[in-house]
Amino acid sequence: ADKEFLLKQKEILQLLNKVHEPNRFKEQVNLGNSYDPLANLGNYKKAAAVHQLVKLYNNGALLPRGEIFTLFRERDLEEMIYLFEALFYANDWNTFLSTACWARDRINEGQFVYALSVAVLHREDTKGVVLPPAYEIYPHLFVNSEVIHQAYKAKMRQEAAVVRMNFTGTIRNPEQRVAYFGEDIGMNSHHSHWHMDFPFWWKPEYGVEKDRKGELFYYMHHQLIARFDLERLSNNLPVVRPLDWEKPIVNGFYPQTTYRKGGEFPARPDNFYFQDLETPYIKVKHMIAYSQRIREAIARGVVLTKSGELYSINDTTGINTLGELIEPSVFSRHREYYGALHNYGHILLGRITDPKGKFNMPPGVMEHFETATRDPAFFRLHKYIDNLFKEHKDHLPHYTRDELLLPGVSINSVEVDELVTYFEDFDIDLLNALDDTVELPDVEIKARVRRLNHRPFTYTINLNSDKDATVIVRVFLGPKYDWFGQEIPLEKKRLYMIELDKFVAKVSAGQTPIQRKSSESSVTIPDRETTKVLVQRVKDALEDKTTWNVNKDLRHCGFPDRLLLPKGKKEGMPFTLFVMVTDWEKEKVNDVPYDYDYGGSISYCGTLNHKYPDTQPMGYPFDRRIENVEEFLTPNMYVKDVVITHNDAE
Ligand code: CUO
């Protein structure tokens, strides 16, 4: 990389260093203090946002530093957007950096980190900049109270420490058996980054390609639930049931997690009912009405637009329209009529124990994308929403044999290595969790968590083709048996199929073995680099001790590679492996020969700044009904049983 890029990388890491403390990098502080955004309005493409932000700041009207920021509070969001626009619309790097340095010690840390991160992910001149892992910037959102408490003790004693973190709750709560999934820091980091790459507040005026964003909202969350269900089956738990606005939420939840300032995250006892809220004004009956209107749109195949027209959703792009409508995003065709089903669901769950704000409780875990999946009710809300998407997909015609076939190509066999999962220890750096109010030097303090992993494996797909061709390969895994031990028929199993990989391969006439490694999966990303390693690497590269390769398609979004396989069982648990090959020439979108990577995690994270690379609906061929299994299974598909064995440790 050139020096210019490395300096940018260095500045960003410094800006995100200990965000709760005053900036300690003198040059940045000087820059921030000498810079007056109002005197430089000409340097922004949208001066109005900068003007608003500074005006609010000067009036002391912004969310103060130290307070909790959530995207689900209208005011917090609005202010954050002003800052984002100031950063995103800064005409050049100097203006960007000066604005960020100015904001660093003035704007609420939560708003600052979020706005800066989203700006870095989307600005042309910061493409390829690596952000520190979210769990190092905000350890509070990823580890529980006990760990933070122990970490403070260690710092006071000035002793290096490794604090063991247990999953929340006890074995008397059956839901705890799958807490390793909902509380996995990599999974939470993936989820929060997905929402940074595809924010619901994203405006068309930003001019960045957000191809099939509504469909991705559906598909990524659909896959999260399917994966959660496979983890549940691996632990003898039934699959998740959707929420019901009028019935009690049977399972309570005690997050045992604490904010840096503002107290513990609120808990929810068992069997709580949804409650009406006053601010924001959300009534349970509104949620029911929104659902009814959405279901009516699905049944009729059209949504009502704001201007009173009917807009068809009766085709493959319908899912995208529906995703934008249900989330909802700025692209919702009629926000007033269809409401904000999903976002309000998050808010209703987050405020459920203090609906009137009587006790001034802080936001619940559901009100942050970093913490939402810790609560099992997250998966119940999303299954409820997923069932609406399913209802829509079930209205579309099933795929015909002709559509599914790839003439001249057949899969003869698929071989896969032994599939083994295990738990391992992982240490999180807690440096940023502790403030420096006491003038004590930093000591090494880490939280040690248990996390699921699997042995690396390879598939070999043996293809027979009557010509040279470029094919696209899709690999899925689904459960063989349900919770009752009954074999699941394919037309039902399709809803629990998790995507393992999607990639492009060249085949020549005759037999071709296609080999693919688990580490190459289009679903996942490897462990994120730690802040420490990043800081050192930049330093070394600036001193020409190492090289730094800039990856302009770098993604922070991506399911953790460790979680590619569900846990399975000690005695071995049978699953169904499914492979399908189709014609890449027919499905490719961009006119680049090998554009399937775009950062390596396109399956759940799509692409940034490009068109989505293939034309098939996400989840194809399992997104639609299967009428007749025999007719569905064509020679270019292959189904086989595989076994996943779980070892407690490796
Ligand atoms: Cu990701 Cu509800 O959209 O958490």
Side-chain angles (χ1 to χ4, degrees):
D2 52 21
K3 287 268 141 75
E4 203 187 317
F5 177 89
L6 287 167
L7 288 171
K8 285 179 188 171
Q9 174 72 60
K10 185 179 153 192
E11 300 279 6
I12 302 283
L13 289 175
Q14 290 183 348
L15 281 163
L16 292 171
N17 174 278
K18 293 206 172 198
V19 284
H20 298 280
E21 305 299 327
N23 197 338
R24 65 189 60 205
F25 298 98
K26 234 184 169 168
E27 280 156 32
Q28 288 193 344
V29 178
N30 291 342
L31 184 56
N33 286 337
S34 63
Y35 185 71
D36 176 8
L38 290 183
N40 292 280
L41 287 179
N43 291 340
Y44 301 89
K45 202 176 138 207
K46 192 173 175 182
V50 185
H51 195 258
Q52 270 297 343
L53 180 74
V54 180
K55 202 175 83 187
L56 288 171
Y57 171 72
N58 289 339
N59 292 341
L62 291 173
L63 180 69
R65 281 180 65 78
E67 299 293 310
I68 298 159
F69 159 67
T70 154
L71 287 168
F72 292 103
R73 203 153 42 198
E74 206 73 43
R75 206 196 81 176
D76 291 15
L77 174 67
E78 206 178 289
E79 295 169 5
M80 185 287 298
I81 293 176
Y82 290 138
L83 176 58
F84 165 77
E85 291 181 349
L87 294 167
F88 179 71
Y89 281 139
N91 281 342
D92 50 66
W93 170 255
N94 276 335
T95 308
F96 172 82
L97 182 64
S98 311
T99 312
C101 290
W102 174 86
R104 169 66 175 71
D105 290 339
R106 291 170 178 81
I107 310 287
N108 173 276
E109 315 72 312
Q111 289 174 318
F112 174 75
V113 171
Y114 182 83
L116 182 75
S117 303
V118 180
V120 167
L121 292 167
H122 289 91
R123 276 181 67 91
E124 197 57 45
D125 59 1
T126 43
K127 265 188 196 159
V129 167
V130 188
L131 296 170
Y135 44 83
E136 288 183 1
I137 304 181
Y138 274 120
H140 284 73
L141 298 182
F142 293 84
V143 303
N144 55 34
S145 329
E146 183 55 24
V147 168
I148 301 282
H149 187 69
Q150 293 296 339
Y152 266 110
K153 270 199 190 159
K155 180 158 183 184
M156 297 307 282
R157 278 194 241 107
Q158 286 288 287
E159 281 167 10
V162 177
V163 185
R164 164 72 69 187
M165 178 164 102
N166 297 311
F167 296 115
T168 309
T170 69
I171 46 165
R172 279 196 285 192
N173 175 14
E175 292 296 316
Q176 209 230 353
R177 286 185 228 157
V178 284
Y180 67 86
F181 185 79
E183 294 179 14
D184 186 280
I185 54 160
M187 205 271 275
N188 281 296
S189 160
H190 154 70
H191 183 226
S192 60
H193 267 293
W194 188 94
H195 283 282
M196 284 186 184
D197 285 352
F198 302 97
F200 61 82
W201 50 270
W202 194 259
K203 301 175 187 172
E205 67 178 52
Y206 299 149
V208 175
E209 181 89 58
K210 289 278 170 221
D211 195 25
R212 295 168 72 176
K213 177 169 163 285
E215 184 177 9
L216 265 176
F217 171 74
Y218 141 73
Y219 187 62
M220 194 283 287
H221 289 90
H222 165 75
Q223 285 283 306
L224 275 192
I225 312 162
R227 284 181 168 277
F228 188 57
D229 278 339
L230 295 198
E231 299 298 343
R232 296 179 73 85
L233 292 173
S234 300
N235 290 283
N236 300 311
L237 290 170
V239 296
V240 171
R241 280 173 314 123
L243 278 179
D244 187 324
W245 303 118
E246 291 170 294
K247 292 215 178 103
I249 306 159
V250 178
N251 280 305
F253 176 60
Y254 281 74
Q256 290 165 12
T257 308
T258 187
Y259 284 105
R260 185 180 187 94
K261 200 180 129 189
E264 293 273 320
F265 279 77
R268 178 187 67 246
D270 284 348
N271 295 308
F272 244 58
Y273 280 88
F274 280 102
Q275 309 282 321
D276 292 342
L277 302 183
E278 279 161 16
T279 21
Y281 184 65
I282 307 172
K283 284 191 175 247
V284 176
K285 68 175 189 205
H286 298 158
M287 302 300 275
I288 297 165
Y290 295 151
S291 308
Q292 274 165 353
R293 289 170 195 168
I294 291 165
R295 297 188 62 196
E296 188 184 297
I298 291 167
R300 296 174 64 200
V302 285
V303 298
L304 180 70
T305 68
K306 207 172 170 177
S307 50
E309 282 141 40
L310 296 176
Y311 187 85
S312 172
I313 52 169
N314 214 357
D315 58 17
T316 50
T317 63
I319 188 74
N320 193 56
T321 308
L322 213 51
E324 306 281 18
L325 191 90
I326 290 175
E327 183 175 19
S329 73
V330 175
F331 298 83
S332 168
R333 298 273 162 178
H334 199 336
R335 163 93 190 222
E336 289 69 26
Y337 187 66
Y338 295 107
L341 194 62
H342 160 264
N343 279 357
Y344 281 4
H346 274 262
I347 298 172
L348 282 181
L349 281 166
R351 315 263 167 97
I352 198 163
T353 39
D354 186 18
K356 306 251 181 303
K358 270 197 217 164
F359 308 106
N360 200 20
M361 295 239 265
V365 293
M366 285 296 284
E367 290 170 88
H368 307 275
F369 293 121
E370 292 87 348
T371 52
T373 65
R374 304 173 84 85
D375 186 346
F378 166 88
F379 296 98
R380 298 199 54 200
L381 169 68
H382 271 279
K383 188 161 263 189
Y384 172 85
I385 284 159
D386 198 53
N387 282 349
L388 294 173
F389 290 127
K390 175 182 179 294
E391 215 167 295
H392 158 70
K393 288 278 187 174
D394 286 353
H395 270 83
L396 300 175
H398 65 86
Y399 296 116
T400 64
R401 195 167 171 88
D402 274 354
E403 285 171 318
L404 296 165
L405 262 177
L406 176 56
V409 177
S410 58
I411 304 179
N412 297 339
S413 65
V414 174
E415 289 144 43
V416 55
D417 296 340
E418 204 191 347
L419 303 175
V420 179
T421 68
Y422 56 91
F423 279 111
E424 65 179 12
D425 281 340
F426 179 72
D427 291 347
I428 311 170
D429 202 327
L430 289 182
L431 203 62
N432 286 324
L434 311 172
D435 52 42
D436 298 344
T437 35
V438 212
E439 270 305 320
L440 287 173
D442 285 331
V443 286
E444 276 252 288
I445 301 170
K446 292 185 164 173
R448 180 161 295 169
V449 296
R450 290 295 271 172
R451 54 181 212 175
L452 188 65
N453 203 342
H454 61 84
R455 287 190 199 151
F457 59 91
T458 304
Y459 326 85
T460 310
I461 301 156
N462 296 303
L463 272 191
N464 203 0
S465 174
D466 63 1
K467 55 184 174 304
D468 292 356
T470 309
V471 293
I472 160 164
V473 185
R474 290 180 167 84
V475 186
F476 288 90
L477 185 86
K480 188 166 165 69
Y481 300 108
D482 67 13
W483 184 62
F484 301 100
Q486 300 283 328
E487 185 152 355
I488 311 173
L490 193 64
E491 58 268 33
K492 227 185 116 193
K493 191 181 307 196
R494 69 181 184 88
L495 299 167
Y496 302 98
M497 281 291 194
I498 57 168
E499 188 172 328
L500 294 186
D501 207 347
K502 178 159 83 167
F503 60 96
V504 174
K506 288 242 180 227
V507 297
S508 34
Q511 296 272 355
T512 309
I514 300 174
Q515 288 220 323
R516 179 83 168 175
K517 291 186 203 144
S518 56
S519 59
E520 294 170 306
S521 166
S522 62
V523 174
T524 62
I525 55 169
D527 269 341
R528 302 279 311 282
E529 265 182 306
T530 65
T531 311
K532 248 193 202 142
V533 170
L534 273 170
V535 168
Q536 190 59 46
R537 265 206 323 124
V538 182
K539 192 167 172 276
D540 289 349
L542 277 167
E543 290 165 9
D544 289 316
K545 286 190 203 149
T546 53
T547 53
W548 177 293
N549 296 320
V550 185
N551 171 9
K552 291 216 167 194
D553 280 322
L554 175 92
R555 298 301 294 278
H556 297 76
C557 176
F559 205 66
D561 57 1
R562 300 171 287 104
L563 297 183
L564 181 62
L565 292 179
K567 175 173 160 273
K569 291 183 180 173
K570 257 187 198 148
E571 65 275 19
M573 179 173 167
F575 285 88
T576 307
L577 183 73
F578 173 92
V579 180
M580 181 184 194
V581 292
T582 50
D583 189 353
W584 171 242
E585 296 305 328
K586 277 197 192 140
E587 292 177 24
K588 73 173 182 191
V589 170
N590 305 306
D591 232 8
V592 192
Y594 290 99
D595 67 346
Y596 221 76
D597 288 342
Y598 285 152
S601 53
I602 55 121
S603 287
Y604 297 170
C605 299
T607 54
L608 276 185
N609 316 302
H610 305 277
K611 283 251 184 263
Y612 195 80
D614 75 74
T615 53
Q616 293 288 19
M618 295 174 200
Y620 176 84
F622 292 117
D623 63 314
R624 302 248 183 121
R625 278 176 294 128
I626 298 175
E627 291 282 283
N628 179 328
V629 175
E630 256 111 84
E631 209 180 291
F632 174 84
L633 291 173
T634 46
N636 50 320
M637 299 181 192
Y638 198 86
V639 184
K640 86 181 259 180
D641 284 358
V642 291
V643 171
I644 299 181
T645 310
H646 177 71
N647 292 343
D648 270 343
E650 189 78 341

